[in-house]
Amino acid sequence: MIKVGINGYGTIGKRVAYAISVQKDMTVSGVVKSNPDFMSRIASKNFNIFVPEKDKIKIFEDQGIKTSGTIEDLIEDSDIIVDATPEGMGRKNKPMYEKSGVKAVFQGGEEHSIVQASFNAYSNYSDSWGKDFVRVVSCNTTGLARTLYPIFQDFGIESVNATLVRRGTDPNDHKKGPMNAIEPGLKIPSHHAPDLKTVLGVGEVNTVAVKVPTTLMHVHSVQAVMKKNSSKEELLSAFSNYNRILPVSGKDGVSSTAQVMEIAKERSLNRSDLYEIAVWVESVSVRDRVASYIQAVHQESDVIPENVDAVRSMFQLSERDKSIRTTDETLGIGKKVY
Ligand code: NAD
């Protein structure tokens, strides 16, 4: 049993904690909460609560929330920490992990340069084999790597061009935006292009990102120039070999992210999350070796199975396909809704 501590119990941390808790080869040693709010109360029903600094123990206990100590105590009792603190904080936490000899998985808000390998289960599971510091790439990059990998495997990829329509913020946030505007990312390519290359060995990549006022999902329009020609049918068949890709159809009335998330709600898995990347079958096309498709990414949850698989690779617990199969079965990934 690998003991996994979770530092940061927000959008990603709480989902990783759940996903780890349903694995047979891992257990959650505890979670770090920084404020004694309703989420800490909920978390304390399932997990041991730790705090970032000693001073917080009394603040939590004054609110009636029992703690099991500080982050240092959690590290002491863990084989690995999944760091899901806010963007940029993981880099600051790394020396603490190094000092105590604990492994750590970081998230997409951290730079590739702070780890030994960036991770995507399909495209480069073995790069993290036995490593101490690994980063699961961001929700957008995970979405791109997931669907480009089958194309890369079957037909080869010369270059990628993608437009990313990004959600403004997550559903639990009432402060960030935009609220009534469309915000283009002015750095081109956006950071997703170099990020993709850390997990998938494709040639030239160009990405443009635009933020819009929605919280549900991101939508990507992807074009990949393939080394070999292919067809729509062959692309759909390549996608169908991978559980973490969900075909959806406008003919069935799935015409926006609203209906994609409705499918997830009907399936009623954990928090009604959609771990899979949804690809609209009508959008899949091939012209002169250029594969095109449109996909939707549930930013709160697509990286969760990758965190579980990253832990397995870092401890050399299972080879790629076995780990993915186990994670998929335990989280209900690929479970048919209709
Ligand atoms: P979040 O803000 O929802 O959660 C972060 C949590 O860390 C919060 O609960 C916060 O209270 C807590 N925290 C703050 N200071 C802390 C401290 N000193 N010690 C411990 N916990 C502390 O953020 P998130 O969306 O879960 O993002 C976490 C990481 O995951 C970031 O790197 C982000 O880029 C990445 N990520 C986010 C998404 C997404 O869409 N939300 C998707 C993929 C990856």
Side-chain angles (χ1 to χ4, degrees):
M1 273 291 214
I2 300 297
K3 292 192 276 179
V4 185
I6 315 287
N7 190 13
Y9 193 82
T11 302
I12 300 301
K14 65 183 174 183
R15 288 176 165 82
V16 174
Y18 168 76
I20 298 286
S21 77
V22 295
Q23 306 305 313
K24 287 207 171 76
D25 48 359
M26 302 171 199
T27 182
V28 177
S29 41
V31 306
V32 179
K33 279 296 303 170
S34 50
N35 290 306
D37 58 8
F38 73 99
M39 199 46 80
S40 295
R41 290 184 200 285
I42 295 172
S44 69
K45 292 194 176 297
N46 297 313
F47 303 113
N48 293 327
I49 304 288
F50 293 79
V51 289
E53 305 114 30
K54 260 206 175 95
D55 300 353
K56 294 230 166 171
I57 293 179
K58 185 167 173 345
I59 299 174
F60 270 64
E61 296 197 342
D62 283 351
Q63 295 297 318
I65 303 171
K66 191 177 161 300
T67 69
S68 304
T70 64
I71 175 75
E72 279 86 7
D73 299 312
L74 177 63
I75 290 172
E76 186 73 22
D77 193 32
S78 303
D79 301 309
I80 185 165
I81 298 292
V82 173
D83 188 303
T85 55
E87 191 176 326
M89 199 177 270
R91 178 173 55 84
K92 295 184 191 141
N93 290 336
K94 191 184 166 198
M96 174 168 67
Y97 306 143
E98 275 174 317
K99 202 168 126 220
S100 44
V102 73
K103 291 181 189 251
V105 178
F106 297 95
Q107 307 304 314
E110 306 303 324
E111 301 284 330
H112 173 67
S113 58
I114 74 160
V115 293
Q116 295 156 301
S118 288
F119 184 86
N120 175 265
Y122 286 159
S123 68
N124 74 337
Y125 184 91
S126 61
D127 287 1
S128 297
W129 197 248
K131 295 284 193 304
D132 292 330
F133 296 109
V134 165
R135 174 187 75 128
V136 170
V137 290
S138 75
C139 46
N140 279 299
T141 309
T142 295
L144 290 172
R146 281 254 184 93
T147 51
L148 285 166
Y149 179 71
I151 302 175
F152 179 80
Q153 272 296 93
D154 289 8
F155 314 108
I157 292 180
E158 273 176 15
S159 63
V160 175
N161 216 318
T163 303
L164 281 48
V165 181
R166 301 175 62 191
R167 59 89 178 104
T169 188
D170 287 332
N172 68 348
D173 175 47
H174 65 288
K175 290 186 179 157
K176 293 186 207 139
M179 195 170 178
N180 184 24
I182 297 174
E183 186 185 318
L186 300 180
K187 188 168 175 276
I188 297 176
S190 63
H191 72 269
H192 310 94
D195 219 27
L196 180 64
K197 289 186 176 197
T198 65
V199 291
L200 186 66
V202 282
E204 202 184 317
V205 184
N206 190 30
T207 51
V208 175
V210 176
K211 246 194 220 180
V212 297
T214 176
T215 63
L216 294 179
M217 302 185 93
H218 306 298
V219 168
H220 300 165
S221 166
V222 186
Q223 281 83 44
V225 180
M226 298 179 287
K227 290 187 175 161
K228 282 197 290 189
N229 207 8
S230 173
S231 65
K232 174 179 178 129
E233 291 67 34
E234 283 178 320
L235 279 191
L236 286 172
S237 161
F239 286 152
S240 72
N241 293 324
Y242 296 85
N243 245 358
R244 296 182 184 176
I245 301 174
L246 176 74
V248 294
S249 167
K251 283 196 192 122
D252 287 340
V254 184
S255 39
S256 77
T257 53
Q259 290 82 41
V260 176
M261 287 316 295
E262 201 61 16
I263 292 176
K265 287 184 195 163
E266 288 298 317
R267 186 166 60 171
S268 272
L269 286 179
N270 328 303
R271 296 183 171 87
S272 293
D273 281 342
L274 187 75
Y275 301 110
E276 300 92 332
I277 305 302
V279 175
W280 273 280
V281 294
E282 292 84 356
S283 73
V284 177
S285 71
V286 178
R287 225 175 86 183
D288 299 335
R289 284 195 296 124
V290 180
S292 302
Y293 55 96
I294 299 174
Q295 63 181 20
V297 174
H298 186 222
Q299 77 281 354
E300 296 174 283
S301 69
D302 70 320
V303 299
I304 305 309
E306 316 299 313
N307 273 270
V308 176
D309 293 326
V311 172
R312 285 212 184 87
S313 181
M314 293 165 78
F315 284 96
Q316 301 170 309
L317 294 179
S318 313
E319 46 80 30
R320 182 191 83 156
D321 291 353
K322 185 163 178 237
S323 177
I324 291 174
R325 218 170 27 249
T326 307
T327 307
D328 288 0
E329 278 167 17
T330 49
L331 295 182
I333 294 172
K335 196 174 158 205
K336 292 271 173 281
V337 196
Y338 60 91

